[in-house]
Amino acid sequence: PRVGHPLFHQGRPRVLESSRAVASLRRRSRLCLVCVMGKGAQGPKKVKVGKEERLEALRAAGTVTVSNSQLYTYFCNLHHVGMAAWVLYVVLFGPRPYLLMTVGMFLYSDMYSALLHSVLDDKKALNIPGIAPVAKGFQEHHDFPQETTSGKGLLVLCSDTVRIQWIVMCCSLAAGKRDETTWALILCKQLCCAYGTQFGHYYAHNRHLCVGMLKPLAWLQDAHILLPPAHHWNHHKAPYNKNFGIVSGLSNPALNPILHPDHYQFYVILALWCFFTIFDVAIIEQFVPPVDTAPASLFSSSLFSSMSTMVNNTIEL
């Protein structure tokens, strides 16, 4: 932990010994309060600090950094629009991933996120060029869970995955068959592994936002389809060595024994994560049926006629 994180206390910056102390105090209070024992004080003084003020203080201390430049933010927004257009085109015109492929990639994404998470949570990752900045962000999240989720916002968190999305897509195209099935698997992986991790993790830290139109998200969390907050909270207890899956958490019971410190080998898991990052799509497409290369459009007469036939057969039954 670093020394000297200035936090606002009664309008003045105060210094705490370490970021771990802040996290420990926050966990005990379960509130967005900073507890600081003043010199000569009779007891802890609790001062409520606004989210923006706290985040700016942490950024000034170099603990929570601004994710992206303005130019890169524009690029990321364009990327998100492109992904949405790709999904819309596939839904309307195909070729569409079939249900079994979609469900399989969703389950796989939780396992993949667990491998990635366990690697980046390890202090050894801070010494690996290219991975170190990302690992630093993951490990800071333990000390500042809300500042690095709700403080940044879901859009910024999704933008943090854009680089790896392009790397993964290029690796998958280089190693795969580059046919319609390859593109369908890439789309599923981008949606589940990149956006799925950020979406599941963000709302696991912000269950209170799952109200009104977002209430179904709470139901999905209760069903373990999205990451349940109580399940993820167990990961945020020191020494942070379990429940690494952050899409749904369904893979954690199987992976917790493997990723436990008694059995965990950092360089083995690192090599496995790199292997899956490069070759997973190429391997999966060897064992799955190909997608339909010429599915009916949602607006085609053949699709409407087939739906009409299905309805008529149901009525007859």
Side-chain angles (χ1 to χ4, degrees), residues 55-71:
L55 190 58
E56 288 302 319
L58 297 177
R59 285 173 176 171
T63 302
V64 179
T65 57
V66 179
S67 296
N68 304 312
S69 67
Q70 193 66 29
L71 181 61

Side-chain angles (χ1 to χ4, degrees), residues 259-277:
L259 301 177
H260 192 273
D262 293 341
H263 310 102
Y264 178 74
Q265 297 293 327
F266 172 74
Y267 291 103
V268 173
I269 301 299
L270 173 63
L272 194 61
W273 169 50
C274 293
F275 178 81
F276 281 127
T277 298

Side-chain angles (χ1 to χ4, degrees), residues 49-268:
V49 181
K51 180 179 68 175
E52 292 300 324
E53 289 84 353
R54 186 202 301 273
L55 190 58
E56 288 302 319
L58 297 177
R59 285 173 176 171
T63 302
V64 179
T65 57
V66 179
S67 296
N68 304 312
S69 67
Q70 193 66 29
L71 181 61
Y72 186 71
T73 299
Y74 291 144
F75 172 77
C76 291
N77 292 339
L78 183 62
H79 173 88
H80 300 322
V81 172
M83 287 295 299
W86 186 8
V87 171
L88 183 62
Y89 180 86
V90 167
V91 169
L92 294 179
F93 304 107
R96 307 179 193 96
Y98 43 85
L99 180 61
L100 184 60
M101 175 186 288
T102 305
V103 172
M105 290 301 290
F106 178 79
L107 297 175
Y108 166 75
S109 68
D110 193 64
M111 184 207 74
Y112 179 86
S113 73
L115 296 180
L116 178 150
H117 196 173
S118 65
V119 167
L120 297 179
D121 271 3
D122 197 298
K123 296 296 182 183
K124 298 184 183 70
L126 297 174
N127 300 319
I128 301 177
I131 296 178
V134 184
K136 180 174 177 288
F138 267 71
Q139 294 173 31
E140 286 173 348
H141 173 64
H142 293 153
D143 298 332
F144 306 100
Q146 288 305 116
E147 289 84 354
T148 52
T149 49
S150 58
K152 295 177 70 173
L154 183 58
L155 179 60
V156 173
L157 292 172
C158 289
S159 296
D160 288 343
T161 70
V162 169
R163 296 181 184 89
I164 189 63
Q165 286 188 56
W166 281 93
I167 293 172
V168 165
M169 183 167 61
C170 292
C171 291
S172 299
L173 290 174
K177 298 178 180 179
R178 294 181 291 279
D179 58 10
E180 288 81 359
T181 303
T182 305
W183 284 106
L185 287 170
I186 290 174
L187 179 60
C188 287
K189 184 176 180 180
Q190 304 287 60
L191 294 178
C192 296
C193 291
Y195 294 101
T197 53
Q198 299 298 349
F199 195 83
H201 181 244
Y202 179 82
Y203 283 104
H205 280 273
N206 294 280
R207 169 77 176 225
H208 61 281
L209 299 179
C210 300
V211 294
M213 294 182 63
L214 297 180
K215 185 63 176 178
L217 298 181
W219 301 338
L220 293 175
Q221 289 176 336
D222 294 337
H224 234 300
I225 297 174
L226 286 180
L227 183 64
H231 180 84
H232 184 59
W233 177 248
N234 288 321
H235 173 73
H236 278 275
K237 297 177 181 178
Y240 317 108
N241 60 5
K242 63 180 179 179
N243 291 0
F244 290 101
I246 55 175
V247 178
S248 64
L250 290 174
S251 67
N252 288 326
L255 291 178
N256 280 342
I258 300 172
L259 301 177
H260 192 273
D262 293 341
H263 310 102
Y264 178 74
Q265 297 293 327
F266 172 74
Y267 291 103
V268 173

